[in-house]
Amino acid sequence: MNGGAHLSQEDLALYTMQSLRGEELEAVRVHLTACPECREELRLIEGDLAALAMSVDQQAVPDGARQRFMSRIGDDAGAASHGTQIAAPVPIQPKPAIKMTWVPWALAAALAIAAAGLGMKVNTLRQQLHKQTVLLARTTEENVHSQRVLNLLRAPSAQRVMLTAAKTKVEPTGQAIYLAERGELLFQGNHLKSLPEDKAYELWVIPANGSAPIPAGVFRPDKSGDASVVMPPLPPGVPAKAFGVTIERAEGSGIPTSPIILSGAPSSGE
Ligand SMILES: [Zn+2]
């Protein structure tokens, strides 16, 4: 990171989607190893991608980004339909641990769309970051974290639950992805009303066995009413009857103290 360019958001997004190969992959790796800022940005993009991949109202993709991404995926899949494609053979080298064999198409497409909409948000985050200079040095831990996020997104047995408001005009919504056996949870809220300074939203896992709701993260929406909770600390092995969101004091509460404003239950049979 010596005065040179940092990694582009597009490259970081492609890296997140594990769509980089060969020299590009190596260059990104090397840069990430040396550059805490880009590692931090990568961590944010991974969180954002995970959240945005669940978002319903996705934004249009600029043509260039779409083509570049699609051609990557085309290379990836090894499809032989396009004779004109410049799919140079990837040099054979020892496989890095992170490499995956296949990016599921639906997820990849969702991430591609989400990635294109990320520019503004990521820039805002970048500015905040440079101010805070919160530079985490624990690369390994971050990689493990992001790998877990991706694994959760891909897990066929993960429950995908839409949380909807009962009777509001603005219609705030939330979507949860929950893998009970591992206690892993992603939540994305949209159209949430802003709250007074001393208040925050709190997410709850409501166990199927009737025990008390488990706090699953405190969050505040951004200016556009969006918020996400990524991998809150949760005990593994707790099947959920439902998920709920309440308004609590800013630091969160151990038990829900307000009416549930968002709730949703996994559909039975999943
Ligand atoms: Zn950098």
Side-chain angles (χ1 to χ4, degrees), residues 1 5-7 31 35 37-38:
M1 61 169 288
H6 286 297
L7 298 170
H31 186 95
C35 180
E37 292 171 57
C38 283

Side-chain angles (χ1 to χ4, degrees), residues 7-204:
L7 298 170
S8 72
Q9 288 157 12
E10 187 182 6
D11 279 341
L12 286 170
L14 288 167
Y15 179 80
T16 301
M17 292 178 270
Q18 297 167 354
S19 296
L20 291 178
R21 293 289 179 271
E23 287 177 10
E24 281 180 314
L25 175 60
E26 203 48 43
V28 168
R29 276 235 180 80
V30 168
H31 186 95
L32 284 173
T33 306
C35 180
E37 292 171 57
C38 283
R39 283 203 302 274
E40 178 62 12
E41 179 124 312
L42 175 68
R43 194 181 65 77
L44 290 168
I45 286 180
E46 285 165 338
D48 285 342
L49 284 177
L52 283 167
M54 296 187 287
S55 172
V56 182
D57 46 350
Q58 287 163 338
Q59 303 176 40
V61 187
D63 279 349
R66 186 199 304 271
Q67 279 162 12
R68 183 171 170 208
F69 181 81
M70 291 308 173
S71 72
R72 301 268 179 159
I73 296 297
D75 292 350
D76 220 30
S81 53
H82 289 292
T84 55
Q85 207 152 19
I86 317 169
V90 177
I92 294 167
Q93 47 186 308
K95 287 187 180 178
I98 297 181
K99 184 173 186 295
M100 285 193 326
T101 52
W102 183 63
V103 178
W105 174 261
L107 172 61
L111 290 176
I113 292 164
L118 270 176
M120 234 166 50
K121 186 172 180 190
V122 171
N123 276 331
T124 309
L125 290 169
R126 184 201 286 272
Q127 287 162 10
Q128 293 170 1
L129 279 167
H130 279 281
K131 280 180 196 165
Q132 297 173 356
T133 60
V134 181
L135 303 178
L136 303 177
R138 294 169 299 173
T139 317
T140 307
E141 189 177 321
E142 289 169 16
N143 283 342
V144 169
H145 175 86
S146 46
Q147 192 61 45
R148 286 176 62 211
V149 171
L150 289 169
N151 287 344
L152 173 55
L153 276 172
R154 287 195 307 264
S157 57
Q159 295 174 312
R160 288 166 166 76
V161 182
M162 180 73 77
L163 283 66
T164 52
K167 290 174 185 172
T168 47
K169 277 186 200 168
V170 203
E171 294 183 355
T173 59
Q175 190 174 9
I177 298 183
Y178 182 56
L179 190 53
E181 62 194 60
R182 293 192 210 141
E184 294 180 340
L185 175 63
L186 297 176
F187 173 84
Q188 166 80 8
N190 298 102
H191 313 299
L192 295 162
K193 288 178 186 165
S194 59
L195 294 175
E197 286 282 312
D198 59 338
K199 297 288 185 186
Y201 291 100
E202 187 158 7
L203 177 64
W204 305 91

Side-chain angles (χ1 to χ4, degrees), residues 242-264:
F243 303 87
V245 172
T246 61
I247 297 172
E248 306 293 345
R249 58 180 190 269
E251 65 271 27
S253 171
I255 54 167
T257 63
S258 81
I260 288 183
I261 57 160
L262 286 177
S263 65

